[in-house]
């Protein structure tokens, strides 16, 4: 399906540590990246204007994504928090303590109304975006949750963890539908096919697996990498799967032919994240070398693939090699980067959601009534505190329920022994 080879289009430097995640804005004009340096950065793809570094987290940022509308960003951190940002120079944001341990994963629902998070506390949690209200917890994994993602129709979740399982969950009932337990190692990342019929899993044993969620069978397996696979992403057409690995390469897999068609070399060291733009015209990668690269796909337009079939990996044809030489120069010109300090003011963020701030051309217009603004701010602050109290009560109730179950189990065991 390719017209010509993929080419490196842009190259960004600015992070001071490993790039952990990235995501294109829905309109394709911006790219956001996260890093172990505690920050996220926004890069403009079509104009030579300065980048923005958003400062707010107090530890490594593990995941970041745009909302479907592009009006918000969500970031997940080792500091146990999730932060929601309005992507403008004001740095308006809100933070909430989402888990009892490192938050590895965050993702918006297709309608933008909910967030799902995954953590080292072994749980998956659902939240409303407005006022970040806790909805439910799915404590199904027995080890760190590495990644959790919504299905394209918003009805299911898929997750992977260090317990060597990949699980499907029903959002309405907060129950686990199926567990794929045939993995030889832990998994680092999981994603839904655009059709919603399949999932792809990036594994620590160097493999990539594609499962049909209807038959719950393994469809395809690729062993093209020589190191753990960190992340992967489907092209919007569903024909191509992009993977990145600790072996320092990106791979483009043709899912209809069942083979790798390109091996891309550009980063120095492990490639830690990757993703396609919404229209599939570009894809991006980030690495241990602290760099972000944007590539042009150069694929011919094709019809959306409605599903995949069983395909054995074809070994007879070697993928084409594409190599670019970019120096990972650490002497970044800081004058080209604007630091934006995140302002954790609940009233600012909530009033944005209730249309106090009208986001037009990236700017924000404040309500002219100062008195009304202060009253609204105070009320929203009280509501935020009540939400936090409610979340605490829910957690205590869950712990009490678990304790009661343990006591009942012990009593029954004692009776059975006598």
């Amino acid at each position: 399906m390719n017209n010509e080879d993929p080419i490196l289009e842009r190259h960004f430097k600015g992070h001071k540590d490993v790039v952990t995640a990235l995501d294109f804005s829905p309109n394709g004009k911006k790219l956001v990246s996260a890093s172990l340096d505690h920050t996220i950065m926004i890069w403009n793809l079509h104009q030579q204007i300065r980048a923005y570094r958003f400062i707010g987290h107090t530890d490594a940022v593990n995941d970041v994504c745009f909302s479907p509308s592009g009006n918000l960003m969500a970031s997940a951190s080792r500091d146990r928090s999730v932060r929601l940002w309005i992507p403008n120079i004001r740095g308006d944001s809100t933070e909430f303590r989402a888990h009892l341990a490192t938050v590895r994963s965050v993702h918006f629902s297709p309608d933008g109304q909910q967030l799902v998070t995954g953590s080292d506390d072994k749980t998956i949690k659902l939240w409303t975006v407005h006022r970040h209200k806790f909805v439910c917890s799915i404590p199904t994994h027995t080890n760190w949750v590495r990644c959790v993602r919504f299905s394209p129709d918003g009805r299911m979740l898929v997750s992977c963890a260090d317990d060597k399982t990949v699980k499907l969950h029903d959002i309405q009932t907060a129950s686990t539908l199926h567990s794929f337990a045939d993995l030889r190692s832990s998994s680092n990342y999981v994603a839904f096919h655009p059709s919603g019929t399949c999932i792809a899993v990036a594994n620590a044993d160097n493999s990539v697996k594609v499962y049909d969620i209807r038959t719950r069978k393994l469809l395809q397996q690729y062993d093209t990498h020589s190191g753990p696979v960190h992340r992967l992403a489907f092209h919007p057409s569903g024909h191509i799967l992009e993977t990145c690995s600790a072996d320092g390469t990106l791979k483009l897999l043709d899912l209809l032919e069942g083979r790798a068609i390109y091996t891309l070399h550009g980063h120095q060291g492990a490639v830690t994240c990757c993703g396609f733009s919404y229209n599939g015209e570009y894809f991006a990668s980030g690495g241990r070398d602290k760099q972000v690269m944007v590539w042009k796909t150069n694929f011919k337009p094709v019809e959306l693939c409605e599903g995949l079939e069983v395909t054995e990996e074809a070994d007879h044809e070697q993928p084409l090699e594409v190599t670019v030489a970019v120096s990972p120069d650490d002497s970044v010109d800081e004058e080209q980067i604007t630091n934006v300090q995140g302002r954790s003011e609940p009233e600012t963020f909530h009033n944005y959601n209730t249309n106090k701030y009208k986001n037009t051309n990236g700017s924000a217009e404040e309500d002219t009534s100062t008195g009304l603004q202060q009253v609204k701010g105070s009320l929203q602050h009280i509501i935020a505190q009540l939400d936090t109290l409610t979340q605490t009560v829910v957690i205590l109730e869950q712990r009490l329920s678990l304790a009661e179950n343990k006591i009942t189990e012990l009593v029954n065991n004692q009776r059975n022994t006598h």
Side-chain angles (χ1 to χ4, degrees), residues 141 159 161 163-168 178-185 187 199 201 209 211 216 218:
H141 285 290
S159 61
D163 58 11
K164 300 182 182 180
T165 65
V166 172
K167 295 177 182 284
L168 291 171
H178 183 70
S179 179
F180 298 94
D182 62 335
L183 297 161
R184 297 171 299 187
S185 70
S187 303
I199 57 170
V201 188
K209 294 189 175 186
Y211 293 93
R216 294 168 184 179
L218 179 67

Side-chain angles (χ1 to χ4, degrees), residues 307-329:
L308 301 175
E309 299 179 354
V310 176
T311 306
E312 293 186 5
E313 185 180 352
D315 296 326
H316 60 277
E317 199 168 345
Q318 292 298 316
L320 296 173
E321 304 276 340
V322 176
T323 302
V324 295
V326 178
S327 173
D329 184 10

Side-chain angles (χ1 to χ4, degrees), residues 217-232:
K217 299 286 181 64
L218 179 67
L219 286 180
Q220 302 177 10
Q221 178 169 330
Y222 298 88
D223 296 300
T224 56
H225 283 290
S226 59
V229 185
H230 290 307
R231 290 214 175 198
L232 46 74

Side-chain angles (χ1 to χ4, degrees), residues 248-300:
T249 68
L250 289 156
K251 301 270 187 181
L252 296 180
L253 311 177
D254 188 317
L255 299 173
L256 301 185
E257 295 184 12
R259 68 183 184 90
I261 54 175
Y262 283 104
T263 299
L264 306 175
H265 305 266
H267 290 279
Q268 299 195 13
V271 188
T272 49
C273 53
C274 61
F276 280 103
S277 62
Y278 278 62
N279 63 7
E281 186 177 355
Y282 298 94
F283 61 93
S285 59
R288 188 169 294 278
D289 58 7
K290 312 171 190 177
Q291 301 184 88
V292 174
M293 297 183 179
V294 178
W295 309 72
K296 190 169 184 180
T297 56
N298 290 323
F299 295 153
K300 290 180 180 177

Side-chain angles (χ1 to χ4, degrees), residues 52-326:
Y52 294 94
R53 179 188 289 126
F54 288 76
I55 303 168
H57 286 290
T58 59
D59 209 330
V61 185
N62 296 314
D63 202 7
V64 67
C65 59
F66 276 101
S67 65
S69 66
N71 290 333
L72 292 175
M73 301 182 299
S75 55
S77 172
R78 191 187 293 162
D79 65 15
R80 306 184 182 184
S81 76
V82 168
R83 189 175 279 264
L84 293 172
W85 307 81
I86 299 172
N88 59 28
I89 196 170
R90 291 174 55 88
D92 296 332
S93 66
T94 186
E95 178 192 64
F96 60 98
R97 293 285 163 175
H99 288 272
L100 301 176
T102 295
V103 189
R104 297 274 175 188
S105 179
V106 64
H107 193 224
F108 283 96
S109 60
D111 62 6
Q113 298 301 306
Q114 290 186 310
L115 277 172
V116 65
T117 56
S119 168
D120 286 4
D121 65 12
K122 308 174 189 177
T123 66
I124 297 163
K125 293 187 178 183
L126 275 170
W127 312 82
T128 60
V129 172
H130 182 54
R131 291 207 304 270
H132 50 264
K133 184 178 179 181
F134 175 73
V135 177
C136 66
S137 181
I138 308 177
T140 181
H141 285 290
T142 59
N143 209 327
W144 294 358
V145 180
R146 291 282 177 178
C147 180
V148 57
R149 290 293 184 260
F150 280 97
S151 62
D153 62 8
R155 296 179 181 179
M156 288 189 294
L157 297 170
V158 63
S159 61
C160 65
D162 282 2
D163 58 11
K164 300 182 182 180
T165 65
V166 172
K167 295 177 182 284
L168 291 171
H169 314 279
D170 181 87
I171 290 178
Q172 285 294 105
T173 61
S175 60
T176 300
L177 299 171
H178 183 70
S179 179
F180 298 94
D182 62 335
L183 297 161
R184 297 171 299 187
S185 70
S186 61
S187 303
N188 294 318
Y189 198 81
V190 64
F192 271 98
H193 187 270
S195 68
T197 62
C198 311
I199 57 170
V201 188
N203 299 309
D205 66 359
N206 310 352
S207 71
V208 172
K209 294 189 175 186
V210 180
Y211 293 93
D212 189 311
I213 65 171
R214 299 161 300 182
T215 62
R216 294 168 184 179
K217 299 286 181 64
L218 179 67
L219 286 180
Q220 302 177 10
Q221 178 169 330
Y222 298 88
D223 296 300
T224 56
H225 283 290
S226 59
V229 185
H230 290 307
R231 290 214 175 198
L232 46 74
F234 284 101
H235 187 271
S237 70
H239 290 251
I240 298 293
L241 183 66
E242 174 191 13
T243 62
C244 62
S245 168
D247 65 12
T249 68
L250 289 156
K251 301 270 187 181
L252 296 180
L253 311 177
D254 188 317
L255 299 173
L256 301 185
E257 295 184 12
R259 68 183 184 90
I261 54 175
Y262 283 104
T263 299
L264 306 175
H265 305 266
H267 290 279
Q268 299 195 13
V271 188
T272 49
C273 53
C274 61
F276 280 103
S277 62
Y278 278 62
N279 63 7
E281 186 177 355
Y282 298 94
F283 61 93
S285 59
R288 188 169 294 278
D289 58 7
K290 312 171 190 177
Q291 301 184 88
V292 174
M293 297 183 179
V294 178
W295 309 72
K296 190 169 184 180
T297 56
N298 290 323
F299 295 153
K300 290 180 180 177
V302 293
E303 293 183 1
L304 175 65
C305 175
E306 295 297 334
L308 301 175
E309 299 179 354
V310 176
T311 306
E312 293 186 5
E313 185 180 352
D315 296 326
H316 60 277
E317 199 168 345
Q318 292 298 316
L320 296 173
E321 304 276 340
V322 176
T323 302
V324 295
V326 178

